[in-house]
Amino acid sequence: MGRPLQIDRQSVLEAGLLLADENGLAAVTMQSVADMLGVTPMALYRHVANKADLLDGLVELLLTDVPLPPATMEWRERLAWMARALRDTAQRHPAVFLLLLQRPATTAGALHVRDAVCAALREGGVAGPAVARTERVISTAILGFVASEAGGRFGSRSTREVNADFAAVEAMVEAYLDRLS
Amino acid sequence: MGRPLQIDRQSVLEAGLLLADENGLAAVTMQSVADMLGVTPMALYRHVANKADLLDGLVELLLTDVPLPPATMEWRERLAWMARALRDTAQRHPAVFLLLLQRPATTAGALHVRDAVCAALREGGVAGPAVARTERVISTAILGFVASEAGGRFGSRSTREVNADFAAVEAMVEAYLDRLS
DNA sequence: ACCTGAACACCGTTCAAGT
DNA sequence: ACCTGAACACCGTTCAAGT
């Protein structure tokens, strides 16, 4: 399959993400990524510092791609919309999503989602100083569920049941938000 | 350091856990575990099927060690006690704890904790058919927090602040339980 | 029964060399 | 500037051989 021999960081990350999605994180090696691009492993080092940097790049690529809801939407609906968007992303990229728990939530991609959650909470009347903590608490709950699903901790439970569990987690978050106001 | 040359599964797992605790999961190799036991890497294969089996064993060792509260304790206090116990375990073994999200919660070690949570919920008057789902929902929230902390997603936030976040997650769980009864 | 030696295919990474 | 070839130390795993 004739691919352009001119590669860049973006194409390296896209190849890595594809391999991770199809065959898991263990399938992402410097050699397999290079193969997919039609290049030798050593060529990658011009575009990523090392393998850890490549993996960081995959997480960032995934986070940047999480879509945000239209600003016209009511704030609580917007929160639910983002929870669903995060779950969709995790289902599409389960292997890379698990890496998310292992890096500080301070990259540009992480902030892009976090800021949108904080904005919705402020609009919902959550007191200024409580916004940051509330964001962390509800993000932790959603992330715990979504990461469990991506990692396979729910085992072979049916899709219908897992969806009902997700609804229950959202109900828990709602109960918490109700108590705040 | 003169160690007995007679090894068994238990000693292999204990060596692996020690290495993971001190230097992370990447430091757990067949060679490093063997070195610690004063043996060649090939000797391990008599006691673990392969490296994946070794890692499974580490998770199981960790889960089996999570202590349970005295049965005399009131049910809600018991739930809080177990959340703290899980957090303690994760702080002692952060690297191995992250693997927990990646395997089905159906092993003996996982059931040992799960059953205790379910028993507390039943005692608290949660309706029979709702017990299993409620257990999954609150476990997901606690696990999400504890895994985030173990993985380093909270970055360099101070211990005081992270403790306050943990209290807030527990408050969310309480709000959910209140709504159920 | 339990451990070892030798061997294999595969990792990540470097450095000097090519174009 | 960008990619390659050769090399290094290190993986997991096998198999036959030792005791």
Side-chain angles (χ1 to χ4, degrees):
Chain A
M1 21 210 329
R3 286 227 182 40
L5 282 171
Q6 196 70 324
I7 66 175
D8 56 7
R9 189 169 225 267
Q10 182 72 13
S11 58
V12 170
L13 296 182
E14 281 169 0
L17 189 57
L18 212 64
L19 285 166
D21 292 346
E22 282 174 355
N23 302 308
L25 225 50
V28 182
T29 68
M30 298 305 266
Q31 351 247 335
S32 64
V33 171
D35 277 356
M36 176 167 273
L37 296 168
V39 106
T40 66
M42 299 79 82
L44 303 180
Y45 285 88
R46 184 154 300 272
H47 308 285
V48 294
N50 47 40
K51 192 173 177 188
D53 181 39
L54 196 168
L55 295 179
D56 279 343
L58 295 188
V59 174
E60 201 57 10
L61 189 60
L62 175 151
L63 279 172
T64 312
D65 267 11
V66 176
L68 296 185
T72 57
M73 205 177 255
E74 194 260 342
W75 71 278
R76 257 189 204 245
E77 245 191 290
R78 225 150 73 220
L79 288 178
W81 195 100
M82 287 189 271
R84 270 199 313 276
L86 210 66
R87 191 179 175 210
D88 285 348
T89 301
Q91 288 175 336
R92 263 198 306 275
H93 312 291
V96 175
F97 194 88
L98 285 171
L99 290 180
L100 205 150
L101 288 176
Q102 308 187 38
R103 17 224 105 198
T106 50
T107 62
L111 294 187
H112 141 263
V113 180
R114 205 189 70 177
D115 290 350
V117 173
C118 286
L121 290 174
R122 258 188 301 270
E123 198 177 309
V126 174
V131 167
R133 169 146 300 136
T134 306
E135 182 278 325
R136 291 195 295 269
V137 170
I138 71 182
S139 292
T140 287
I142 300 293
L143 224 65
F145 178 89
V146 169
S148 289
E149 186 181 24
R153 200 177 74 87
F154 292 151
S156 55
R157 190 169 298 107
S158 77
T159 309
R160 201 202 249 3
E161 277 186 302
V162 178
N163 285 344
D165 281 6
F166 185 60
V169 170
E170 293 203 288
M172 174 174 66
V173 170
E174 302 266 329
Y176 182 62
L177 291 176
D178 285 344
R179 178 168 288 195
L180 284 188
S181 47
Chain B
M1 18 208 333
R3 285 227 183 43
L5 283 172
Q6 199 66 329
I7 66 175
D8 56 7
R9 188 171 227 266
Q10 183 71 13
S11 58
V12 170
L13 296 182
E14 280 168 0
L17 189 57
L18 211 64
L19 285 165
D21 291 347
E22 282 173 355
N23 302 308
L25 224 50
V28 183
T29 70
M30 300 303 268
Q31 350 248 338
S32 65
V33 172
D35 277 355
M36 177 167 272
L37 296 167
V39 106
T40 65
M42 299 79 84
L44 303 180
Y45 286 87
R46 184 154 301 274
H47 305 101
V48 294
N50 46 42
K51 192 175 177 187
D53 182 41
L54 195 169
L55 294 179
D56 279 343
L58 295 188
V59 174
E60 201 57 9
L61 189 60
L62 175 151
L63 279 172
T64 311
D65 267 11
V66 176
L68 296 184
T72 56
M73 205 176 252
E74 196 259 340
W75 73 278
R76 257 189 203 243
E77 246 192 289
R78 226 151 72 223
L79 288 178
W81 196 99
M82 287 189 272
R84 269 198 314 276
L86 210 67
R87 191 179 175 211
D88 285 347
T89 301
Q91 287 174 337
R92 264 198 306 275
H93 312 292
V96 175
F97 194 88
L98 284 171
L99 290 181
L100 206 151
L101 289 175
Q102 308 189 38
R103 18 223 104 197
T106 51
T107 63
L111 294 186
H112 143 262
V113 181
R114 205 190 67 177
D115 289 351
V117 173
C118 287
L121 291 174
R122 259 189 299 272
E123 199 177 309
V126 173
V131 166
R133 168 146 302 137
T134 306
E135 182 277 325
R136 291 195 295 270
V137 169
I138 71 183
S139 292
T140 287
I142 301 295
L143 224 65
F145 178 89
V146 170
S148 288
E149 185 180 23
R153 200 177 73 86
F154 292 151
S156 57
R157 191 170 296 108
S158 78
T159 309
R160 200 201 251 4
E161 277 185 303
V162 177
N163 284 344
D165 281 4
F166 184 59
V169 170
E170 292 202 289
M172 175 175 63
V173 170
E174 302 266 329
Y176 183 61
L177 291 175
D178 284 344
R179 177 169 290 197
L180 284 188
S181 48

